[in-house]
Amino acid sequence: MKKIISIFAAVVMMISSLNFIVFAADDLKPNAEAVSDRYIELFGSLGVFSKTYNKTDGITRAQYAKMLTNLLSCDDILSSMRGITYSDVAVDAPLSKEINLMNAMGIMTAKEGDKFCPGDLLTMDEAVVCVVRVLGYTIAAEESGGVPAGYNK
């Protein structure tokens, strides 16, 4: 149980460091920016993502696959990943192993047919779905209405 809570806390902090602070009031924005900067620095130092991450660029689906792989400490599994899962991700493409691993684990799936769309910016719904899947609540989310409603409850 402690591990689940720790993973959840880490994923929540990671997601909150993204540029999803849409509803912050104007007077809270400077504080939200400072918190976001601290999370970026923290996750950079932990190796979850590059220390050179620029929050104004957003996060692509491929980058998020890498972040989740780092967060879940899947390096040993990653080294054995092979093959092509998606038509738009070449075997030797950057982050192809991470993308294929997230697919194999059922955490991230195709976006359009057999395409992963690795360069597309991650949406909040996609991020939430991945967190729910990482935490093992997929069945409950599907029973509550599926994507996105069942995952956002």
Side-chain angles (χ1 to χ4, degrees):
M1 187 64 165
K2 287 182 181 180
K3 186 174 183 178
I4 291 173
I5 292 170
S6 298
I7 290 172
F8 179 74
V11 171
V12 167
M13 286 188 293
M14 180 176 58
I15 289 172
S16 68
S17 71
L18 304 176
N19 274 334
F20 296 128
I21 309 171
V22 176
F23 300 108
D26 288 339
D27 59 329
L28 297 177
K29 285 184 179 178
N31 188 39
E33 284 293 313
V35 170
S36 178
D37 291 341
R38 283 193 306 236
Y39 285 145
I40 290 170
E41 184 178 333
L42 170 66
F43 285 112
S45 68
L46 294 175
V48 175
F49 54 75
S50 169
K51 290 183 181 181
T52 60
Y53 169 72
N54 182 352
K55 65 184 173 187
T56 60
D57 293 342
I59 294 179
T60 66
R61 289 173 47 84
Q63 290 170 326
Y64 197 63
K66 172 69 172 171
M67 292 167 67
L68 290 173
T69 301
N70 291 344
L71 183 69
L72 297 172
S73 300
C74 296
D75 295 335
D76 53 335
I77 302 170
L78 192 63
S79 62
S80 66
M81 293 304 298
R82 292 181 191 72
I84 301 172
T85 306
Y86 301 103
S87 63
D88 61 342
V89 180
V91 174
D92 58 347
L95 306 178
S96 65
K97 288 185 177 185
E98 289 84 349
I99 291 168
N100 287 326
L101 177 61
M102 290 299 104
N103 176 70
M105 293 175 74
I107 295 172
M108 294 184 84
T109 59
K111 186 171 182 178
E112 300 171 3
D114 66 341
K115 294 184 177 184
F116 184 79
C117 304
D120 286 3
L121 291 179
L122 184 74
T123 67
M124 185 60 160
D125 284 343
E126 290 171 329
V128 169
V129 167
C130 291
V131 170
V132 169
R133 289 176 179 165
V134 164
L135 295 174
Y137 291 112
T138 304
I139 294 172
E142 290 296 326
E143 288 176 354
S144 295
V147 176
Y151 286 82
N152 289 324
K153 288 188 174 184

